[in-house]
Amino acid sequence: MRTVYICSPYRANNEEQLQQHIEYAKELTREALLRGDAPVTVHLYMTQCLTEEIPQERGIGLAAGQHIIEKCDAVLVGYRFGISEGMEQEMRIAKTRGIKIQYHS
């Protein structure tokens, strides 16, 4: 079983877009589970503990996520709604560490 980091947008301009991003992250997580992978979707649970609008807390969450990427076998990039700045950082870390990147539209 592979550990797969789910990388998809979270930040949004309004509540409707935020819900769209959350549902997409859940969809990617479900697909990974059904494939037999062990997905890690940090932006679904860290945002329940940290406040995205507080820059220091957002930075803490991003740093923790970046640390977790290094423990994963692959990164699944969901780009249906674009690639955010945070996603770009996560992809750079994966590339630097030689972690396989898969793309999902």
Side-chain angles (χ1 to χ4, degrees), residues 20-81:
Q20 184 179 55
H21 290 175
I22 290 170
E23 289 305 314
Y24 185 44
K26 289 166 61 175
E27 175 187 328
L28 294 169
T29 301
R30 177 180 168 77
E31 286 182 21
L33 284 165
L34 294 177
R35 243 190 342 263
D37 291 329
V40 180
T41 315
V42 299
H43 54 298
L44 287 183
Y45 64 85
M46 285 195 196
T47 55
Q48 301 300 303
C49 306
L50 299 170
T51 304
E52 178 79 4
E53 293 77 25
I54 299 174
Q56 181 182 7
E57 290 191 16
R58 177 170 163 49
I60 290 168
L62 288 172
Q66 291 168 1
H67 178 75
I68 292 168
I69 289 171
E70 296 177 3
K71 313 295 184 215
C72 293
D73 301 305
V75 172
L76 177 61
V77 177
Y79 62 91
R80 181 184 299 161
F81 301 110

Side-chain angles (χ1 to χ4, degrees), residues 2-7 69 72-77 87 90-91 93-94 99-103:
R2 298 179 319 153
T3 303
V4 178
Y5 186 95
I6 305 297
C7 175
I69 289 171
C72 293
D73 301 305
V75 172
L76 177 61
V77 177
M87 292 171 66
E90 292 166 340
M91 291 164 56
I93 289 167
I99 298 167
K100 182 178 180 178
I101 298 176
Q102 299 172 288
Y103 296 91

